[in-house]
Amino acid sequence: MRTSDSAIDTHCPYCALQCGMRLRPEPGGATVAVEERADFPVNRGALCGKGRTAPAVLSSRVRLTQPLVRTHAGQLEPATWEEALDAVAEGLSRTGRTHGPDAVGVFGGGGLTNEKAYALGKFARVALRTSQIDYNGRFCMSSAAAAHQRAFGLDRGLPFPLADIPRTGCVILVGSNLAETMPPALRYLTELKAGGGTLIVIDPRRTRTAEQADLHLAPRPGTDLALALGLLHLIVAEGRTDEEFIAARTTGWEEARAAAMAHWPELVERITGIPVPRLREAVALFCAPESAMVLTARGPEQQSKGTDTVGAWINLCLATGRAGRPLSGYGCLTGQGNGQGGREHGQKADQLPGYRKLTDPAARAHVAEVWGVDPDSLPGPGRSAYELLDALGTDVKALLLMGSNPVVSAPRAGHIEDRIRSLDFLAVADVVLSETAALADVVLPVTQWAEETGTTTNLEGRVLLRRRALTPPPGVRSDLDVLHGLAARLGVEKGFPTEPEEVFEELRRASAGGPADYSGITYARIEAEQGVFWPCPAGPEGTEDPPGTERLFLDRFATDDGRARFVPVSHRDAAEVPDADYPLLLTTGRVVAQYQSGAQTRRVDELNAAAPGPFVELHPRLAARIGAVEGSPLAVTSRRGRAVAPARITDTIRADTVFMPFHWPGEGRANTLTNPALDPTSRMPEFKVCAVRVEPA
């Protein structure tokens, strides 16, 4: 690998903070060192272990460096790029000819740059003519996105910059363990407290983040909706609503209030396990200061009622006038590196670039004009992520997969692995030979963050630029090269450029006028301004483009009438509740040293030393009851399968709940157990709660 002579400013390849970092060639030029980049405002130089060790995955020792094609003997063998691309094009086109275009599926990833996400969505709809495209970001913040759209008319993870968090009066953090999932972001909470603000953390575990809280509430998994409704009931009963704000800037309050009043405190205590005095304490802390925020993450969102749960927390903000005002509001802490931008520009089953709806004739006409195709040629909405994976081998017989590892990351993962194995044809483009790539007919080795230029959009809606710092190894190409080569073989000679900035220029035109308008954003502006917040429309021709929108909704919400919408919601149980056969609840999550399915981080020695494998976290009372010993193997069984991992006994978790991290394959695969019950609006699976039994293995 060759490096440039000078250091390159770029961003971490992992979570949605997209921390700024600097890559500098080490002596000899074979590797790069990661340096702090203190001038970048999001992390101000701080990096977690994953960011510091990210260059380790650039090593040819751990990554793919040549295409692989499965032989008639069933083995993956090295092949030339021409052979591999020919095989992919033939596999996809043969399936389309035989079974129709919707028999070909495309599955993307929340780590792809905006340029690659845009090109992948265009490739599915223009080159393959298939409606069957979605991405693993559906498993990230789709419930929050749906609730955002429903209440505010626009979805951006945070409607304000992270820098506002320490300046507010109170933060309710729901289902997030920032200390382990986004360690550099924890400083925003410590600065909040240092400045006199208060922190309420809601989590069934007393995590490292919860230990920072002024008040920690540990509800039974799957009851966050009831908790939010109970707090709103108390706010109404205690006369703490902001009637002036409600009248001036919202609609639907009467119905939402009536729904909340059906959740009286004693009922909520029975449902959640949170004593009424603690509910009252939370209300007092939240309502005391002039400003406050509610931030949610996967805990309340990855549920079969995730959209309604987030909606209940939004209702809490609206009822107290804590939205559309400085230093107040509801926000979602996006998890994946480009989970925000990935869905804005066409990877999602129902969306076109610019966050346009695929069912909107005007949106179809605008994007079709940019693409140079007939609007009627664009397919309609397809299946959501889990539904697409569940249809593999039956309705969807061939799949192109980029930047995802559903064999480990999908709910009911054993079933999804079976569906993937049943495909007539599977092509995977990835950096490493993931568990999913190992099942493919063709594997295409693609570039990593340090070897390519492209934009991402972080959890604040800040569009950032990663700059290429290294020449990739011989035999490795970018995803844009892959799509260009496949499109040409499928008869689409133009429209799939390989230069990222050329793709971004087209993305700007395609997004112009849409909810996520990037038309005023350029690579030069991103570099000059340390990122540009969308929406950022282009100015009239001959004028300077206006600044990005750092804070949303201060004057009006993005609805037709400018008012936020209350949505009446009511508690309902999780899709599975404990019974005699499965008496406990399982919840899942991350640990600090690994990331998502672990496909990349499990190849880094330092990270494996810190987090070598899966475990089952359980309370001492539960351990005593079933005879579990620290470090001994435990079998966790759900209606979908069985996982085995060592016991980790701690009093920081509820006695009716066990926790497993989801980064590992094999017998310790947590997602063997998880429930694919879907939220009816967002189609988010219920990763965060299912019924299990636990016993020594």
Side-chain angles (χ1 to χ4, degrees):
M1 292 181 294
R2 301 191 309 276
T3 64
S4 60
D5 294 331
S6 58
I8 298 292
D9 285 350
T10 188
H11 297 272
C12 179
Y14 292 114
C15 81
L17 281 181
Q18 289 295 281
C19 290
M21 59 168 59
R22 186 166 288 125
L23 298 181
R24 184 175 296 279
E26 293 191 318
T31 57
V32 292
V34 171
E35 298 178 348
E36 290 186 356
R37 186 178 157 195
D39 63 321
F40 185 63
V42 172
N43 61 310
R44 288 175 274 166
L47 292 168
C48 73
K50 295 186 291 293
R52 286 187 295 98
T53 61
V57 190
L58 298 168
S59 168
S60 58
R61 181 178 62 87
V62 300
R63 55 96 59 86
L64 295 164
T65 57
Q66 58 186 336
L68 304 173
V69 175
R70 196 169 298 279
T71 66
H72 292 299
Q75 302 299 313
L76 284 172
E77 299 289 348
T80 67
W81 267 99
E82 296 305 304
E83 291 169 337
L85 290 174
D86 286 347
V88 176
E90 171 57 22
L92 299 179
S93 61
R94 181 179 62 246
T95 302
R97 290 193 307 269
T98 305
H99 303 286
D102 278 357
V104 180
V106 176
F107 199 85
L112 300 181
T113 63
N114 289 319
E115 292 80 359
K116 293 191 287 188
Y118 172 85
L120 186 61
K122 181 181 179 182
F123 176 81
R125 296 178 175 109
V126 172
L128 295 175
R129 300 288 182 92
T130 182
S131 67
Q132 300 302 303
I133 175 172
D134 210 84
Y135 83 128
N136 62 16
R138 176 80 67 170
F139 302 155
C140 179
M141 59 174 289
S142 59
S143 291
H148 249 137
Q149 292 276 14
R150 204 162 66 174
F152 304 135
L154 182 70
D155 160 42
R156 196 179 84 185
L158 293 180
F160 41 73
L162 284 161
D164 282 0
I165 292 175
R167 301 166 57 208
T168 193
C170 178
V171 169
I172 299 181
L173 185 66
V174 190
S176 172
N177 182 14
L178 281 179
E180 299 208 43
T181 60
M182 297 178 175
L186 189 64
R187 66 167 47 175
Y188 291 103
L189 301 181
T190 58
E191 290 170 4
L192 166 77
K193 294 190 64 181
T198 54
L199 174 64
I200 302 168
V201 172
I202 297 170
D203 197 306
R205 304 164 62 222
R206 191 172 74 248
T207 62
R208 288 174 52 204
T209 307
E211 288 174 351
Q212 309 293 318
D214 298 283
L215 176 64
H216 171 218
L217 304 180
R220 187 175 294 112
T223 65
D224 307 87
L225 175 52
L227 176 56
L229 288 163
L231 296 180
L232 183 52
H233 177 113
L234 286 170
I235 284 168
V236 174
E238 296 176 5
R240 296 178 183 270
T241 57
D242 187 333
E243 296 297 329
E244 182 179 347
F245 177 87
I246 291 169
R249 299 201 59 191
T250 73
T251 62
W253 169 231
E254 295 301 325
E255 295 83 357
R257 179 175 60 185
M261 296 313 287
H263 298 76
W264 59 95
E266 292 76 15
L267 172 64
V268 171
E269 178 178 325
R270 290 199 299 272
I271 294 171
T272 65
I274 306 297
V276 172
R278 305 274 279 179
L279 300 176
R280 295 187 184 279
E281 184 180 358
V283 166
L285 289 173
F286 183 69
C287 293
E290 290 186 6
S291 59
M293 298 174 179
V294 174
L295 306 177
T296 70
R298 305 301 80 75
E301 297 164 18
Q302 287 181 328
Q303 298 185 30
S304 60
K305 52 182 182 293
T307 302
D308 284 355
T309 301
V310 173
W313 290 107
I314 291 175
N315 286 350
L316 192 76
C317 292
L318 294 175
T320 53
R322 309 303 177 83
R325 287 176 169 170
L327 306 181
S328 287
Y330 163 77
C332 166
L333 299 171
T334 311
Q336 292 178 285
N338 197 31
Q340 181 74 52
R343 69 180 181 282
E344 291 168 5
H345 298 299
Q347 273 193 108
K348 208 172 172 192
D350 56 351
Q351 287 174 192
L352 288 169
Y355 225 138
R356 288 181 159 91
K357 293 181 180 179
L358 192 52
T359 53
D360 178 0
R364 294 169 66 88
H366 173 86
V367 173
E369 183 178 7
V370 174
W371 289 351
V373 300
D374 184 340
D376 292 338
S377 72
L378 297 178
R383 293 175 172 88
S384 71
Y386 181 79
E387 292 165 306
L388 174 56
L389 295 171
D390 188 42
L392 299 181
T394 53
D395 294 335
V396 179
K397 298 181 181 297
L399 183 70
L400 172 64
L401 186 147
M402 285 187 162
S404 186
N405 188 19
V407 165
V408 178
S409 63
R412 197 186 174 195
H415 170 71
I416 296 305
E417 181 176 348
D418 290 342
R419 300 319 314 144
I420 290 172
R421 290 179 181 275
S422 73
L423 283 164
D424 292 348
F425 181 81
L426 172 65
V428 174
D430 209 334
V431 173
V432 297
L433 191 67
S434 70
E435 287 71 23
T436 305
L439 304 179
D441 297 285
V442 180
V443 182
L444 304 172
V446 291
T447 50
Q448 297 196 56
W449 102 109
E451 301 162 348
E452 60 186 11
T453 294
T455 61
T456 62
T457 306
N458 81 345
L459 76 172
E460 308 165 293
R462 187 193 300 254
V463 184
L464 304 168
L465 183 63
R466 294 178 184 167
R467 280 290 190 189
R468 174 171 165 159
L470 295 169
T471 300
V476 174
R477 297 184 182 180
S478 78
D479 297 271
L480 295 179
D481 284 308
V482 169
L483 295 175
H484 174 85
L486 291 178
R489 286 165 171 80
L490 294 171
V492 183
E493 299 287 344
K494 296 181 179 180
F496 291 92
T498 59
E499 286 301 317
E501 192 165 8
E502 186 177 349
V503 178
F504 190 78
E505 289 301 305
E506 182 178 305
L507 181 157
R508 292 176 63 204
R509 299 196 306 274
S511 72
D517 190 334
Y518 281 37
S519 61
I521 304 175
T522 64
Y523 278 20
R525 279 194 68 181
I526 295 170
E527 284 196 296
E529 300 174 27
Q530 297 279 37
V532 181
F533 290 85
W534 72 262
C536 183
E541 190 172 349
T543 67
E544 187 174 329
D545 289 334
T549 310
E550 196 170 13
R551 295 172 181 85
L552 298 171
F553 313 138
L554 295 183
D555 299 317
R556 69 188 311 274
F557 294 97
T559 56
D560 291 341
D561 60 5
R563 292 170 174 261
R565 304 184 189 100
F566 280 99
V567 178
V569 294
S570 297
H571 173 72
R572 57 186 185 274
D573 284 335
E576 281 186 351
V577 294
D579 57 20
D581 294 325
Y582 302 95
L584 300 168
L585 292 168
L586 169 72
T587 192
T588 64
R590 287 168 48 188
V591 297
V592 67
Q594 301 288 353
Y595 182 71
Q596 305 300 68
S597 76
Q600 294 187 43
T601 52
R602 284 187 276 110
R603 288 165 168 78
V604 179
D605 292 341
E606 180 180 328
L607 301 179
N608 284 333
F615 56 87
V616 181
E617 188 177 281
L618 71 165
H619 193 276
R621 290 204 301 272
L622 174 58
R625 189 163 77 241
I626 66 173
V629 178
E630 178 74 21
S632 64
L634 289 181
V636 184
T637 306
S638 76
R639 289 177 175 85
R640 289 152 297 281
R642 179 176 186 264
V644 177
R648 183 174 292 184
I649 301 171
T650 174
D651 64 0
T652 61
I653 190 169
R654 290 177 57 98
D656 60 0
T657 300
V658 295
F659 167 83
M660 290 186 71
F662 54 70
H663 309 291
W664 288 273
E667 70 171 7
R669 182 175 61 186
N671 278 319
T672 297
L673 309 167
T674 48
N675 191 353
L678 300 181
D679 180 285
T681 303
S682 68
R683 315 309 287 169
M684 167 74 84
E686 192 152 60
F687 286 98
K688 286 303 180 192
V689 53
C690 68
V692 297
R693 65 173 179 267
V694 182
E695 56 209 347

